Amino acid sequence: RENVVIVGAGQAGGELATGLRQRGFSGSITLVGDEDHPPYQRPPLSKGFLMGKIPQEGLYLKPHETYGRFDITLRLRTRVESIDRASKHAVLSDGSRLPYDKLALATGGHARRLSLPGIDVGRLENVFSLRSIADVESLRGAFVPGRRLVIIGGGYVGLEIAAVAAQLGLNVTLLEAAPRLLARVTGPEVSAFIEGVHRSHGVQFRLSAEVRGFSLDASQRQAVGVDISCQGVQERIDADLVLVGIGLVPNTGLASAAGLAVDNGIVVDEFACTADPSILAIGDCANQPSAYTGGRIRLESVPNAIEHARVAASTILGQREPSTATPWFWSEQYDLKLQMVGLSSGYERCITRGDPSSKAFSAFYLKGSRILAADVIGRPADFMAAKRLVTGRTPVEPERLADEGIPLAKVAA
Ligand code: FAD
């Protein structure tokens, strides 16, 4: 009987384990995860779960019992410490060794730590990051109305936390190093729109802000302020709690210790295989060829984790089906639903369709007559059409995009 061992019981690992069974895999499947929970969705951690609207069980991809029913051995609170490639064993934190025929690394990533000279940020009791249920549990007690929350990082996770905190009555200040929010992923029009929405809910911003250090209390265990330099002006932002949301570092240690190539993620081919044909890598931890960009890419999104798990299941089943998916992502802030498809880097012009003040509009990022990417706010039908245009690389007549009288399905050149 073939042995599959999956390292990391997150979105990608969970999808691979259940997907393999659903597609008729009859070998043994062991899913090893170092958290306390069966595979769960992380997106609600910075949205409905943090808000208290979704119960913990509501996060689980499948009820705990399903893994037993699917004959999947789920080993939680267990780390894979190393991989013995010569004898094909995974070495676990409890000392046991699991034999494998195929090993899938689905190790995700960890929150990037803030490094500040002279301060051990990890020791500060009121400085948080948000990646797991455990992180939300420790953050929740500090989320008290009226408290001053300083968020470092204006990416999607930081902004979603700002939205929840503002709605719960905290006083929020968000610090962003770039001159605008979401600078890496959206155009200035969408950044300005998002900033305006947050400001209307009382969130304050410092853009182009460089964090110089923390002011600590007498115990040296609590940050009481964040010291920044903003366009040459020094300022201290008083804080009762601080949330650091400055991105993710892929968990590649196991792979590199096993001698596998790592370059912004574990390097895999279009079938999710590393250079060792017995070892695959999927999800946030993997750097994969992209049919969409034609180059290599590491994506951090649920749709990617699901798609990559599907590719890996095909490989393990001997069916070899590479991914052709176009990257997409979503975010929720206040009553806004944002959907993004494609990657806008290298775009030449941005065309908006609809009026941002109505809180329902789309921004299309074009290179020549081709739409590289689209950000769609509150217009799900536009999103479906945009996804087709981006995926199909359909040449469009740019002027027609802006004209709401013309259905998006009819903008093709
Ligand atoms: P993960 O889900 O991180 O799972 C990896 C698991 O492996 C973890 O449980 C980790 O502890 C475990 N692990 C690591 N090393 C070992 C080891 N050696 N032994 C055992 N276990 C190990 N995506 C979207 O598309 N839309 C969103 O709105 C969105 N919002 C998000 C909000 C937040 C707060 C966060 C944190 C993420 C969000 N994402 C969102 C991203 C999305 O959740 C991730 O892309 C997805 O979870 C990736 O799945 P994964 O399985 O690759 O990694």
Side-chain angles (χ1 to χ4, degrees):
R1 209 176 171 214
E2 198 178 0
N3 280 325
V4 170
V5 172
I6 304 169
V7 188
Q11 183 91 42
E15 299 282 351
L16 174 59
T18 51
L20 273 173
R21 247 342 151 230
Q22 280 160 338
R23 291 172 63 175
F25 180 74
S26 58
S28 91
I29 303 174
T30 308
L31 182 54
V32 186
D34 59 1
E35 293 189 66
D36 290 342
H37 307 280
Y40 61 89
Q41 312 165 54
R42 288 176 207 275
L45 298 182
S46 50
K47 309 178 183 78
F49 184 61
L50 183 60
M51 193 80 176
K53 282 189 181 161
I54 298 177
Q56 190 170 292
E57 300 69 44
L59 301 177
Y60 294 166
L61 297 188
K62 296 267 190 294
H64 206 148
E65 319 75 71
T66 305
Y67 298 91
R69 216 160 30 79
F70 277 33
D71 190 20
I72 294 166
T73 306
L74 187 55
R75 297 189 63 165
L76 300 177
R77 297 171 209 92
T78 308
R79 275 189 69 74
V80 172
E81 298 290 358
S82 62
I83 306 165
D84 180 345
R85 281 173 61 194
S87 71
K88 289 197 177 181
H89 280 80
V91 182
L92 307 190
S93 44
D94 62 9
S96 58
R97 291 167 63 87
L98 278 181
Y100 67 82
D101 297 296
K102 288 276 190 292
L103 180 84
L105 297 169
T107 49
H110 56 270
R112 185 182 301 280
R113 293 178 190 111
L114 187 66
S115 91
L116 292 172
I119 299 180
D120 183 357
V121 176
R123 283 193 58 222
L124 299 176
E125 289 158 359
N126 62 343
V127 177
F128 303 89
S129 58
L130 208 173
R131 178 78 199 159
S132 62
I133 291 178
D135 291 340
V136 176
E137 281 165 353
S138 47
L139 179 61
R140 256 211 193 114
F143 248 54
V144 175
R147 286 208 182 150
R148 294 159 304 178
L149 165 65
V150 176
I151 298 176
I152 301 175
Y156 283 115
V157 170
L159 287 165
E160 289 175 354
I161 296 168
V164 172
Q167 290 175 95
L168 292 176
L170 282 83
N171 295 316
V172 184
T173 305
L174 189 144
L175 314 176
E176 166 56 48
R180 61 182 177 87
L181 303 172
L182 299 170
R184 271 189 317 120
V185 287
T186 64
E189 297 81 358
V190 174
S191 298
F193 168 76
I194 303 272
E195 185 184 332
V197 170
H198 280 272
R199 283 192 188 277
S200 74
H201 284 86
V203 175
Q204 299 194 44
F205 291 96
R206 298 290 187 280
L207 304 175
S208 304
E210 184 196 341
V211 176
R212 309 292 298 254
F214 287 159
S215 299
L216 306 182
D217 73 350
S219 74
Q220 303 283 301
R221 290 296 188 89
Q222 303 267 337
V224 293
V226 181
D227 300 313
I228 62 168
S229 164
C230 206
Q231 287 155 0
V233 179
Q234 316 289 322
E235 191 184 356
R236 170 169 305 168
I237 316 277
D238 293 331
D240 298 307
L241 66 153
V242 177
L243 189 289
V244 180
I246 54 171
L248 172 127
V249 179
N251 289 328
T252 56
L254 270 183
S256 50
L260 298 167
V262 168
D263 177 11
N264 179 31
I266 304 165
V267 175
V268 294
D269 66 13
E270 62 270 46
F271 304 108
C273 282
T274 65
D276 179 337
S278 305
I279 304 183
L280 297 85
I282 54 173
D284 282 13
C285 70
N287 180 325
Q288 55 186 305
S290 161
Y292 166 76
T293 64
R296 288 197 150 267
I297 201 166
R298 189 179 65 75
L299 294 167
E300 296 166 9
S301 77
V302 165
N304 173 65
I306 294 173
E307 172 65 3
H308 219 184
R310 186 193 65 75
V311 170
S314 300
T315 301
I316 292 170
L317 291 163
Q319 295 164 359
R320 295 176 77 78
E321 292 163 3
S323 172
T324 51
T326 303
W328 69 275
F329 189 76
W330 78 91
S331 175
E332 286 158 27
Q333 294 166 41
Y334 310 101
D335 53 353
L336 294 180
K337 176 130 184 137
L338 299 92
Q339 295 167 292
M340 288 67 79
V341 59
L343 302 170
S344 59
S345 63
Y347 78 97
E348 293 162 350
R349 62 194 279 212
C350 173
I351 293 182
T352 51
R353 178 180 174 91
D355 179 5
S357 68
S358 69
K359 293 191 177 174
F361 72 104
S362 306
F364 295 94
Y365 301 95
L366 284 103
K367 187 164 188 178
S369 62
R370 199 187 130 203
I371 307 173
L372 295 182
D375 293 335
V376 178
I377 289 138
R379 294 164 73 123
D382 269 16
F383 181 69
M384 296 315 291
K387 211 171 168 191
R388 278 194 290 274
L389 291 167
V390 172
T391 304
R393 296 161 188 264
T394 316
V396 297
E397 286 182 41
E399 306 67 43
R400 290 163 71 87
L401 276 176
D403 183 345
E404 289 200 80
I406 303 173
L408 269 186
K410 299 220 167 106
V411 296

